[in-house]
Amino acid sequence: MESLQEETALQRMHPVLKAFVCGSISGTCSTLLFQPLDLLKTRLQTLQPSVNGSSRVGMVTLIFRVVRTESLLGLWKGVSPSFARCIPGVGIYFSTLYTMKQKFLVDRSPTALESVFLGATSRAVAGICMLPVTVVKTRYESGRFGYGSVYGALKNIYQTEGVRGMFSGLTATLLRDAPFSGIYLMFYTQTKKLAPQDQLDPALMPLLNFGCGIFAGILASLATQPADVIKTHMQLSPQKYHRTTQAIAFIYKPQGKKKANPAQRQ
C-alpha cells in the first residue's frame, strides 16, 4: 500500500522535479557501488613513477595496499562528499536535460549533434554548481588531507585558499565533464536507434539500455581521460598549478623523459 502511494506521488510530480528525484536516486546507487573504483582512479592518477624508472603501481596492488593500510572500508573513503556531489549533481543534470529537451525538441529524438549539445550543456551546468564539493571529494579520495566532514572541508578550503581554491580545476573539469556527457549521450542515443527495439522482448529492454550505456561510457571515458587526470592534479595542488597548462606540462614532462630514455626500463 505504501509503495503504491509513493508511486502515485511520483507520477503526480512536475516532470522537471521527477527528473531531479530519479536522477538523484540513480546517482546515490551508482556512488555507493562504484566509490571504490573512483578512489582507485584518483590515487592512480596522482601516483608518479619512481626515480629509477620503475613502472606505475597497478590497480590490484593499490587495492591491497588500501585494504592493508586503511581497512576494507578505506575503499569507500570519500563516499560522503561523493553523495553530497552526486545526489544533487545528477538531479541537476537530468532536470536540465529534460528542460532543454522540452524546449528545443518536440516529440522527436535528438540527432547526434543535438545529443552532444544537450549532454555537454547539462553536465556543464551541474559541474559548475557542484565543483566545490567535487574538489572536496577528490581530496578525500587522495588520502592526503585529514578533513573531518564535508562542511569542515569546504570551510577550511575557503579560509585558506579562498574562492579560487573552491573552484580549482574549473577549466579541466569542464573539459572533462561537458565532452564526456555530450559524447556519452550521442553514442547512447545513436546505439539505441540501431537496435531493433520493436522486435525485442520488453523484458530485455533494461539489458539493452545497460549495454548501450556501457558502450557509450567506455568511449566517453577514453576520450576525456586526459582532462580527468589534469583536473585531479589541479584540485589536489591549487597552489602549485595556477593554470591548466602548468598541470599539463608537469604531467607530460616525466613521461616524456621516461620515454626518451628507454635504458632506464632495462
Side-chain angles (χ1 to χ4, degrees), residues 30 33 78 81 107 115 161 165 213 225-226 245:
S30 62
L33 287 172
D107 298 328
S115 295
E161 303 171 33
Q225 177 63 13
T245 51

Side-chain angles (χ1 to χ4, degrees), residues 43-63:
R43 297 200 180 183
L44 285 170
Q45 287 175 348
T46 54
L47 285 174
Q48 296 299 317
S50 59
V51 178
N52 60 12
S54 61
S55 59
R56 288 179 179 269
V57 175
M59 186 174 73
V60 176
T61 303
L62 186 57
I63 291 175

Side-chain angles (χ1 to χ4, degrees), residues 8 13 23 27 33 38 44 60 65 75 77 109 113 138 155 159 172 176 178 186 191-192 219 225 228 251 262-264:
T8 304
M13 282 185 182
L33 287 172
D38 218 15
L44 285 170
V60 176
R65 179 188 294 178
L75 291 170
K77 180 176 288 185
S109 299
L113 189 60
T138 302
K155 183 178 179 181
Q159 290 177 341
R176 181 202 66 167
M186 178 187 70
T191 305
K192 284 191 66 176
L219 294 179
Q225 177 63 13
D228 195 27
I251 296 167
Q264 286 186 341

Side-chain angles (χ1 to χ4, degrees), residues 154-174:
L154 290 171
K155 183 178 179 181
N156 178 271
I157 293 171
Y158 179 75
Q159 290 177 341
T160 58
E161 303 171 33
V163 176
R164 186 186 185 93
M166 297 182 71
F167 285 87
S168 57
L170 173 60
T171 302
T173 299
L174 292 179

